[in-house]
Amino acid sequence: MIFNKLWIDEWVKNDLNAEELSDMITMAGLEVDSVNDVADNFDGVVVGKVLECVPHPDSDHMHVTKVEVGGGQIFQIVCGAPNCREGLKVCASLIGAHVNGITIKKAKLRGVESNGMLCSFKELGMSEESNGIVELPEDAPLGMDIREYFKLNDKAIDVDLTSNRPDCLGMSGIAREIAVLLGKKFEYPKVEKVAPTINDIFTVEVEDKAACPRYISRVVRGVNQKAKSPLWMVERLRRCGIRSVSPIVDVTNYVMLEYSQPLHSFDLNKIHDKIIVRKAHQDEPMTVLSGDEVKLKDNTLIIADSTGPVAMAGIFGGLNSGIDENTSDVLLESAYFAADAIKGRARQYGLNTDASHRFERGVDPMNQARAMERATALLIEIAGGQAGPLNEVVSEDDLPKYKEINLRLSKLEKVLGVAIDADTVFKILDNLELSPKKVDGGFVCVSPSFRFDIEIEEDLIEEVARIYGYNNIPNATPVSDLYMVHEKEEVVEDRDIKKVLCDVGYNEAITYSFTDPKVLAEFSDIKPLMLNTPISPELSAMRTSLLAGLSIVAKYNVNRQQRKVRLFEQGLRYIIDEKAENGVRQEAMIAGISVGDIHDESWHEKSRSVDFFDVKGDVENLLALNVDTKDITFVRTTEKCLHPGQGADILKNGKKIGFVGMLHPLAQKALGFKQAVGVFEIERAAVEKRAIPVYEPISKFPSVRRDFAFVIEKSVAVSALTDLIYEVGGNIVKDVNIFDVFEDASLGDKRSVAVGVIAQALEHTLEDAEVESLANRIIEEASKRLGAELRS
């Protein structure tokens, strides 16, 4: 929001200069980005009158003029502007003046003496472009300094507002803030109601009352669109960053700057039958004022007549109802559109207008009539016309409601660390128009209609603090007692997980909770929760898998010549669940991705690409934090994103807790990876608690090793064989190690698996008979349960 100092001074009398004012409102939360001059620092330019204007004898475009500048002084000045003419009031820079970085001197232009220069707005630093010299009103006093005439000793102040302060997108809101900061109660300028002189009313129907609870319109006939907007209005618009267009457009823009209430004007003779406020039909065509044709989406609120759309509500007008130079009858619109109905809609069509900027943040729902009366009065004053009565369509039930908020003085003191006198607090709240009422221990307030961001006690405390002045709150060093942190040994902390994964070469990444739905679809079939107003289409879905964000980051690094990329993340995934609070179940997950070489480049060891067993080993290290590996089973994967021969679902006591493996070639290609990619994703709850180690005595007796080579079907998991041996051996079997796997055409659909079994008793040396009995039981059970045969 850009406002100028002299304009704000008319709303709130003060003795502050622009810099002091900027510092004050910045400390109150309205951060000032810049303070700029409203024109170049020129001098020696005065109001002049062209008494004579004749063609230059040696030029086809220049004129030789006689210009009077007051006090009987008349100078000959050569001018090349096409709009120079006799009788025109102009900005004349005299000899010795400084304009546009140069000093004006007496000169000869193609043999004709010139004693000055007639200036354009561009040369005075008041416009980016100009088609000719400045044309001043007839009543401009001759000889008056142009800086004084235009009141150019002014500053344009640019405030960077947060999204919760749309009330300050107008002069009234800025002025109200300044008044409160100065300890005053803001006095609203009186807006007189315009008495209707005609009875014309244009019918309005509001179909979507929730999106448009209030719609006010007014017919104004006989407007002179060719009239010129007054210089004071043009200048105020310019200093706030808005270009003058025509009386009707200038008036609506001016009132928007005054009250932060966007208005729209329709050419009454271009709309048919009635105004209808409704949702657009999907792909309904409309041509906007810029000339572009858009296909409307069914979530867009529109203003339509009996033939179709004439405007996108709160965003942009339609070309078929727009104001032009021939417009004489106008329908003015001043409406309250709910912020949720406008938010993000302009971005859908690549648009960004002053109106949408305000409506999507929220406007005052009680301000529409005042803005309409002000606009009507200005329009009639500037361009004439006759106004009809206000036509208001309102749904009181759909207008915002404001509840009472309690403010406890004890809570205020606790939060701010300073006791503020109750009378001071009351005055602040009263000046902020929060309607405070004294109760025991504090106040009860109600938010004004323009401050819908104040909802809870903490909001009131913030308001008191910023108006009281953060500089008035003494600095105090916080004091607190230190206590030993009571951490249970069984709890696995996030730092434990980070340490394990960092130790095996991973780096932690933190990605957005929302991601690209196309990327997400490669990892999960779960329907994601879609955002209504995403930052971009690539960030429009709440993630159902952390791997979507990690894959994007990994791809970014691979594309920048990183040969080894290993990333992990701990975070939430979001699953639509009607039974969950707010309809979304949040689950903590751990995910990782590994791309590229497994080792750094070295002279003594040849690197290779990551494979399934590398990633599986990383997962086993992670799971070893809290579970016995005998509780974990890896089975053939059911995940569509994993390679069917190089992927595994992870089961803990028979329940799936995650998966690990290499990406499916199709998923790999779709994501843009040219090399193999290893991934894993595990429920955080699966490693929530660790099993506390229990001391067991170490046997003093020797161990015995027996090797077995079993021939088993390829469909039988090798883990089933090791689990069986542990079960059969009981406390005697201390370790089972697979040291060879052999496959050959002679074995058909079977394979040979060689295992080494370490047996050891705690209290005695194992005898041959015990070992032999153990071996026989293993062979017998393996044959019975798994169909395994001892290889000869």
Side-chain angles (χ1 to χ4, degrees):
M1 172 65 187
I2 302 175
F3 69 93
N4 63 288
K5 176 66 168 58
L6 292 180
W7 193 3
I8 208 72
D9 288 348
E10 293 183 11
W11 287 73
V12 182
K13 301 299 181 184
N14 65 88
D15 298 324
L16 302 173
N17 60 39
E19 285 69 25
E20 292 169 338
L21 180 64
S22 299
D23 289 343
M24 182 179 72
I25 62 177
T26 295
M27 289 304 297
L30 308 182
E31 182 181 354
V32 172
D33 273 352
S34 62
V35 179
N36 300 308
D37 293 329
V38 298
D40 281 351
N41 190 24
F42 62 86
D43 60 39
V45 183
V46 299
V47 176
K49 182 176 182 179
V50 179
L51 302 178
E52 181 182 314
C53 180
V54 297
H56 191 289
D58 195 23
S59 172
D60 60 356
H61 70 279
M62 288 195 290
H63 305 86
V64 180
T65 68
K66 293 290 194 308
V67 179
E68 182 182 1
V69 294
Q73 299 180 82
I74 300 175
F75 296 95
Q76 178 173 289
I77 298 175
V78 177
C79 176
N83 62 327
C84 185
R85 60 187 182 274
E86 186 177 315
L88 186 66
K89 289 285 184 76
V90 295
C91 297
S93 57
L94 307 179
I95 302 300
H98 300 91
V99 178
N100 203 21
I102 61 173
T103 301
I104 304 300
K105 299 177 181 179
K106 183 183 292 187
K108 282 191 175 183
L109 298 178
R110 295 193 181 183
V112 178
E113 184 177 291
S114 180
N115 297 288
M117 182 175 73
L118 304 186
C119 301
S120 68
F121 279 123
K122 182 178 181 181
E123 289 161 338
L124 299 179
M126 297 171 67
S127 174
E128 293 293 328
E129 56 184 31
S130 182
N131 295 323
I133 58 176
V134 178
E135 298 186 20
L136 297 176
E138 284 292 329
D139 60 356
L142 280 179
M144 186 176 191
D145 189 288
I146 288 297
R147 298 198 69 86
E148 181 182 350
Y149 179 76
F150 279 108
K151 298 181 180 179
L152 295 178
N153 296 321
D154 190 11
K155 298 288 185 180
I157 302 172
D158 188 357
V159 183
D160 186 11
L161 296 172
T162 52
S163 59
N164 68 315
R165 293 306 306 272
D167 58 300
C168 291
L169 287 168
M171 297 297 293
S172 60
I174 297 286
R176 185 168 47 237
E177 284 290 301
I178 294 171
V180 176
L181 291 168
L182 293 174
K184 304 176 182 178
K185 195 169 183 65
F186 179 60
E187 297 293 336
Y188 287 89
K190 189 174 182 180
V191 177
E192 298 287 351
K193 291 185 178 181
V194 176
T197 54
I198 58 176
N199 296 321
D200 296 20
I201 289 179
F202 201 79
T203 305
V204 175
E205 291 182 6
V206 178
E207 292 183 1
D208 193 336
K209 292 182 173 58
C212 180
R214 173 175 279 125
Y215 191 96
I216 297 177
S217 63
R218 169 175 258 165
V219 172
V220 182
R221 293 191 180 275
V223 175
N224 179 15
Q225 174 69 340
K226 296 182 181 179
K228 285 191 174 181
S229 298
L231 189 61
W232 61 266
M233 177 178 285
V234 173
E235 264 299 282
R236 285 184 173 179
L237 290 172
R238 180 187 72 82
R239 296 179 195 189
C240 293
I242 297 178
R243 181 176 62 89
S244 173
V245 178
S246 68
I248 299 172
V249 176
D250 290 352
V251 164
T252 55
N253 283 335
Y254 186 82
V255 174
M256 179 185 70
L257 287 177
E258 280 193 318
Y259 295 110
S260 189
Q261 171 62 46
L263 297 99
H264 188 66
S265 54
F266 301 97
D267 188 322
L268 186 63
N269 297 316
K270 294 180 182 179
I271 51 180
H272 305 84
D273 300 326
K274 59 183 176 181
I275 285 289
I276 308 167
V277 184
R278 61 172 173 85
K279 284 289 197 312
H281 306 308
Q282 184 65 32
D283 295 330
E284 189 172 6
M286 175 183 168
T287 303
V288 295
L289 282 170
S290 62
D292 297 325
E293 183 168 325
V294 298
K295 297 290 186 181
L296 297 171
K297 301 180 185 297
D298 58 9
N299 65 349
T300 305
L301 188 69
I302 64 167
I303 312 300
D305 63 9
S306 59
T307 64
V310 295
M312 296 167 67
I315 300 175
F316 214 3
L319 187 62
N320 59 349
S321 64
I323 301 296
D324 59 34
E325 61 182 8
N326 298 315
T327 297
S328 60
D329 299 332
V330 180
L331 180 68
L332 291 178
E333 167 195 283
S334 180
Y336 172 71
F337 300 119
D340 289 342
I342 307 299
K343 194 175 297 179
R345 305 301 190 270
R347 196 160 48 243
Q348 287 181 340
Y349 304 98
L351 301 174
N352 183 21
T353 63
D354 289 331
S356 66
H357 183 75
R358 286 164 171 79
F359 275 124
E360 67 183 7
R361 284 160 177 76
V363 299
D364 184 350
M366 309 303 292
N367 206 23
Q368 288 69 47
R370 175 164 47 188
M372 177 64 82
E373 297 288 6
R374 175 67 168 151
T376 306
L378 285 172
L379 183 58
I380 293 175
E381 177 186 337
I382 296 168
Q386 293 182 302
L390 290 187
N391 180 25
E392 181 177 20
V393 179
V394 62
S395 173
E396 295 289 348
D397 292 340
D398 292 299
L399 287 170
K401 303 296 187 296
Y402 304 95
K403 61 182 181 180
E404 292 185 340
I405 310 168
N406 291 316
L407 174 61
R408 295 164 291 171
L409 291 174
S410 58
K411 180 69 176 290
L412 179 70
E413 181 178 353
K414 180 180 179 181
V415 173
L416 300 185
V418 61
I420 303 177
D421 180 69
D423 292 338
T424 302
V425 175
F426 180 87
K427 183 178 179 182
I428 291 173
L429 297 174
D430 189 43
N431 287 345
L432 286 168
E433 301 181 38
L434 288 162
S435 306
K437 295 179 182 177
K438 293 183 179 180
V439 295
D440 290 341
F443 303 95
V444 173
C445 302
V446 178
S447 297
S449 58
F450 55 84
R451 286 302 303 274
F452 47 82
D453 60 313
I454 300 177
E455 296 181 326
I456 58 177
E457 185 177 26
E458 284 72 13
D459 294 331
L460 293 176
I461 293 173
E462 180 184 359
E463 291 300 301
V464 172
R466 69 185 189 85
I467 302 302
Y468 181 74
Y470 296 118
N471 290 335
N472 295 324
I473 299 175
N475 294 328
T477 303
V479 178
S480 63
D481 297 324
L482 296 177
Y483 299 96
M484 292 294 292
V485 178
H486 300 287
E487 291 188 352
K488 294 183 178 180
E489 186 180 356
E490 67 174 0
V491 176
V492 177
E493 303 288 347
D494 287 347
R495 62 175 179 271
D496 299 325
I497 294 171
K498 293 178 183 180
K499 185 176 187 306
V500 169
L501 292 173
C502 288
D503 284 349
V504 294
Y506 284 79
N507 292 304
E508 184 177 18
I510 300 176
T511 65
Y512 288 119
S513 294
F514 30 87
T515 189
D516 189 335
K518 294 180 181 178
V519 176
L520 188 60
E522 296 297 329
F523 292 100
S524 175
D525 285 329
I526 302 173
K527 181 181 179 181
L529 177 68
M530 302 301 293
L531 301 179
N532 289 329
T533 56
I535 297 173
S536 69
E538 291 76 22
L539 295 171
S540 59
M542 298 300 292
R543 64 189 180 191
T544 55
S545 171
L546 275 60
L547 289 172
L550 285 178
S551 67
I552 294 171
V553 177
K555 177 75 182 317
Y556 181 90
N557 283 272
V558 169
N559 288 346
R560 282 152 184 78
Q561 301 179 326
Q562 296 301 308
R563 296 169 58 89
K564 177 184 175 184
V565 179
R566 309 188 86 184
L567 303 169
F568 79 94
E569 180 175 10
Q570 299 183 74
L572 297 175
R573 68 175 181 177
Y574 305 86
I575 310 296
I576 297 175
D577 185 351
E578 295 181 358
K579 298 179 180 178
E581 184 178 0
N582 298 323
V584 179
R585 185 174 75 252
Q586 302 182 39
E587 297 178 346
M589 305 295 289
I590 308 165
I593 189 168
S594 183
V595 190
D597 295 344
I598 196 65
H599 300 300
D600 292 326
E601 187 176 13
S602 174
W603 61 270
H604 66 82
E605 185 177 16
K606 185 177 181 181
S607 188
R608 59 176 176 78
S609 295
V610 65
D611 63 21
F612 169 76
F613 295 102
D614 296 318
V615 185
K616 179 173 177 284
D618 299 335
V619 171
E620 288 176 329
N621 282 329
L622 177 61
L623 294 174
L625 274 172
N626 77 323
V627 294
D628 192 318
T629 53
K630 288 184 287 188
D631 296 334
I632 296 296
T633 308
F634 293 88
V635 300
R636 186 178 295 274
T637 186
T638 57
E639 296 290 333
K640 71 161 191 175
C641 65
L642 296 184
H643 192 300
Q646 300 179 41
D649 290 342
I650 307 169
L651 308 183
K652 179 180 178 183
N653 296 323
K655 179 185 176 183
K656 183 176 177 179
I657 60 170
F659 59 85
V660 59
M662 309 303 291
L663 275 187
H664 194 288
L666 293 178
Q668 179 183 315
K669 181 179 180 181
L671 295 171
F673 290 102
K674 295 181 180 179
Q675 61 272 75
V677 180
V679 297
F680 67 84
E681 188 164 29
I682 304 169
E683 295 175 5
R684 175 65 172 84
V687 288
E688 190 173 25
K689 294 183 179 180
R690 62 164 58 88
I692 304 300
V694 178
Y695 167 75
E696 290 183 359
I698 300 174
S699 176
K700 297 180 290 184
F701 302 97
S703 62
V704 177
R705 171 170 174 152
R706 290 291 298 271
D707 293 344
F708 303 86
F710 288 107
V711 177
I712 61 175
E713 297 284 346
K714 289 182 180 179
S715 60
V716 177
V718 175
S719 59
L721 178 60
T722 58
D723 291 344
L724 181 144
I725 295 173
Y726 277 118
E727 180 187 341
V728 171
N731 294 332
I732 296 177
V733 173
K734 300 302 180 184
D735 191 25
V736 179
N737 178 45
I738 300 170
F739 62 86
D740 184 56
V741 177
F742 175 73
E743 295 182 0
D744 188 73
S746 62
L747 295 176
D749 292 332
K750 297 184 178 182
R751 70 178 72 164
S752 172
V753 180
V755 295
V757 180
I758 306 296
Q760 186 180 33
L762 181 63
E763 298 175 348
H764 64 281
T765 300
L766 290 174
E767 297 180 357
D768 290 343
E770 290 179 279
V771 175
E772 193 64 29
S773 174
L774 173 62
N776 290 334
R777 291 200 306 274
I778 291 173
I779 294 169
E780 181 181 350
E781 292 298 323
S783 175
K784 182 188 302 182
R785 299 190 202 178
L786 306 177
E789 299 176 4
L790 196 63
R791 188 177 175 191
S792 57

